[in-house]
Amino acid sequence: DSAKHGAAEGIENNLRRKIVEKRTVNPKYYAEMSEILQELIEERKRGVEDYVKLLEKYRALAGKIEAPEKGSRYPEHIKGKAALRALYDELDQDEELAIAVDRAVCECHGTTGFRDDEFKQRRVKQSIYDVVGNETDTERIYKVVAAQTGDYQ
């Protein structure tokens, strides 16, 4: 039915737009959400699911996109803070390491406005390096930290 097909495509486009908007905040998590969306699109195109079941899957995915903290993916100590969720995902779901990096960044004094100040960026990167111990991981994790505008000032 072309009306259902059109509605499904509209929902898919909205979900994709939300994923793209949020991807920089938690790249690994939203890459997974993108993969799930792609699987749903392929299922729809193959006619695998009936329309009602497909809508239920879209609704579930939308919930994961909008409120990742509500699922069972994250440990209790991680759930409540977007930055911790992003670090947890980026650090291969290593809860202790995510908490250690978060603590190091939060305790790094004199770094308010670090995104616009190279000296302050170096201080934040050093605090990350002190936890992870190598340049490659430090740079990768710094990008995630810098995207957390709500949790790190």
Side-chain angles (χ1 to χ4, degrees), residues 36-48:
I36 292 169
L37 176 59
Q38 193 57 43
E39 289 169 11
L40 291 175
I41 291 169
E42 290 169 13
E43 284 179 19
R44 176 185 54 78
K45 288 179 178 178
R46 289 192 315 266
V48 172

Side-chain angles (χ1 to χ4, degrees), residues 74 77-78 81-89 98-99 102 151-152:
Y74 297 105
H77 293 90
I78 300 290
K81 187 176 180 184
L84 268 173
R85 292 191 304 270
L87 290 169
Y88 178 77
D89 288 330
I99 290 170
D102 177 68
D151 288 323
Y152 303 132

Side-chain angles (χ1 to χ4, degrees), residues 10 21 27 34 41 58-59 75 80 105 109 117 123 132 144 149 152:
E21 285 174 6
S34 184
I41 291 169
Y58 287 149
R59 188 177 1 263
V105 171
H109 297 291
D117 182 318
R123 290 180 71 184
V132 299
V144 172
T149 57
Y152 303 132

